[in-house]
Amino acid sequence: MIKVTPKTIGFFICFAVFGCLKIGIFEKAIHLPVKRILIPLFTLLFLGCYEEIIYDENPFLIKKKELHFQSLATQNPVINMGTSAYIFATATGDSLTFSWSVSEGNLQTYDTLAKFSHQQEGFYTIECTIADAYGNSETRSVVIHVTEQLVFTGFVIQDTIVPVNYSIPVKAIASGEEIAFVWSADGGEVTGEGSEISFAAQAPGMYLLSCTVTDLAGEEQTLHVQIEVVDGFVFKSLVADPARLPAHDNAVITASALGENLSYRWTCDPPANLLGSGKQIIFNICHADIFTVFCEITDDKGNKQVKSVKITVTDL
């Protein structure tokens, strides 16, 4: 639907006059030199008015990315007084702005990241409102517990299934007064000290990694995490971004794997343009259909794994 504005009215007037000049309706009324001036003039006016109709008045020709507030999360839901909790906001959309708030305490914000601390015990709610360029907004919140007691929240570990001899970093999230960390495992090798260490094992199996945290008062807490070590490599995921797109647009497909000396083979059914090589490629096609992209990963020992991802392509 075209919105009626002065420019749209001007567009149709210019279109009519321009057409009449071209086909000679005003041939007798307008001399040739004047006609040579009027045709370029009305051409420029025509294009200027047409530009507004195409870009300002036709929403079907403007690509908008919908606002999607994916998550509001923290690794530190419980903190000790004097320590900080970091809150992460994840979202997609156009020209996003982030507004943070809390009833009391110290809150420092950096767009998608907020840092909170408080000197009094209690439960505190941090809110984040995300707005896009079109006036849409979403709000989420997270509760942080501040306490005087020793707090051992858990571990930060990216992968709990890893290949043989693969070194995986592990971080213990704890807070308290002058806390100390003691790590142990029922196999494999632990390297490092303090809150962050690395673990690796030379043989397949299930391993239990433990950490004991002790504060100045002698209070201690112990937590465990189980790590599976496997032969070969680990094909973690195959992701298309976006998984639904119009014809002629690009999708980035990423294969995530743990291991060494890996090679990647990409195919598509039905056939499409797969540009690039290695763990990340670009998908493109000029017509609508549902496509399945396959990625086969092989290591230097001949181990193979295959994953697939579907991509839906729509007409423009």
Side-chain angles (χ1 to χ4, degrees):
M1 180 180 293
I2 298 176
K3 182 180 178 181
V4 178
T5 67
K7 277 194 175 183
T8 55
I9 295 173
F11 166 78
F12 290 110
I13 293 175
C14 291
F15 182 80
V17 174
F18 178 79
C20 292
L21 289 172
K22 290 296 288 182
I23 64 178
I25 291 179
F26 299 148
E27 194 72 40
K28 296 181 179 180
I30 301 177
H31 298 294
L32 182 61
V34 177
K35 184 176 179 181
R36 286 176 177 174
I37 295 173
L38 289 178
I39 288 180
L41 176 62
F42 276 96
T43 301
L44 292 174
L45 291 172
F46 171 83
L47 293 175
C49 296
Y50 179 74
E51 180 181 354
E52 172 167 297
I53 293 177
I54 291 296
Y55 295 104
D56 296 339
E57 307 298 337
N58 191 343
F60 298 103
L61 297 181
I62 301 175
K63 294 181 181 179
K64 294 182 179 180
K65 185 182 292 184
E66 293 185 1
L67 172 62
H68 179 36
F69 197 154
Q70 296 166 320
S71 66
L72 185 67
T74 178
Q75 296 176 351
N76 316 83
V78 184
I79 60 173
N80 196 261
M81 291 189 301
T83 60
S84 299
Y86 293 87
I87 303 100
F88 306 87
T90 305
T92 57
D94 291 330
S95 302
L96 299 181
T97 58
F98 299 79
S99 301
W100 298 83
S101 64
V102 66
S103 58
E104 56 180 288
N106 181 25
L107 185 66
Q108 302 175 40
T109 63
Y110 316 88
D111 289 334
T112 61
L113 171 66
K115 178 183 177 182
F116 172 77
S117 62
H118 207 301
Q119 297 302 320
Q120 294 183 357
E121 288 189 304
F123 293 86
Y124 302 94
T125 301
I126 291 93
E127 287 190 349
C128 179
T129 299
I130 301 179
D132 65 9
Y134 315 111
N136 304 305
S137 63
E138 290 187 32
T139 301
R140 292 196 180 191
S141 63
V142 63
V143 176
I144 303 297
H145 180 201
V146 180
T147 178
E148 286 185 335
Q149 306 300 316
L150 170 66
V151 177
F152 191 175
T153 306
F155 300 102
V156 176
I157 179 170
Q158 291 185 345
D159 304 286
T160 55
I161 304 177
V162 297
V164 168
N165 292 321
Y166 186 89
S167 181
I168 180 73
V170 186
K171 181 179 180 179
I173 305 299
S175 61
E177 188 175 2
E178 297 186 20
I179 55 177
F181 300 83
V182 177
W183 296 84
S184 62
D186 60 358
E189 183 179 0
V190 177
T191 56
E193 58 183 13
S195 63
E196 299 184 47
I197 57 94
S198 295
F199 173 83
Q202 293 72 41
M206 304 295 296
Y207 296 87
L208 190 67
L209 179 66
S210 304
C211 180
T212 299
V213 179
T214 308
D215 66 6
L216 183 63
E219 182 182 355
E220 67 177 37
Q221 296 179 22
T222 301
L223 293 178
H224 313 275
V225 59
Q226 194 169 58
I227 300 175
E228 182 180 0
V229 178
V230 299
D231 275 324
F233 62 93
V234 178
F235 195 162
K236 294 174 55 180
S237 64
L238 184 65
V239 178
D241 182 26
R244 184 181 182 89
L245 69 158
H248 299 286
D249 274 14
N250 293 334
V252 177
I253 309 176
T254 305
S256 179
L258 303 178
E260 296 182 352
N261 302 319
L262 303 179
S263 60
Y264 300 79
R265 178 175 175 268
W266 297 87
T267 56
C268 186
D269 182 29
N273 298 318
L274 302 179
L275 310 175
S277 60
K279 64 181 180 181
Q280 188 175 83
I281 63 166
I282 295 175
F283 169 95
N284 182 279
I285 196 65
C286 61
H287 61 86
D289 206 336
I290 297 177
F291 298 84
T292 303
V293 178
F294 300 88
C295 179
E296 180 184 86
I297 300 181
T298 307
D299 66 9
D300 55 359
K301 297 179 182 178
N303 300 306
K304 293 184 179 181
Q305 294 185 41
V306 179
K307 287 186 183 294
S308 64
V309 62
K310 288 189 179 296
I311 298 179
T312 302
V313 179
T314 61
D315 289 319
L316 291 174

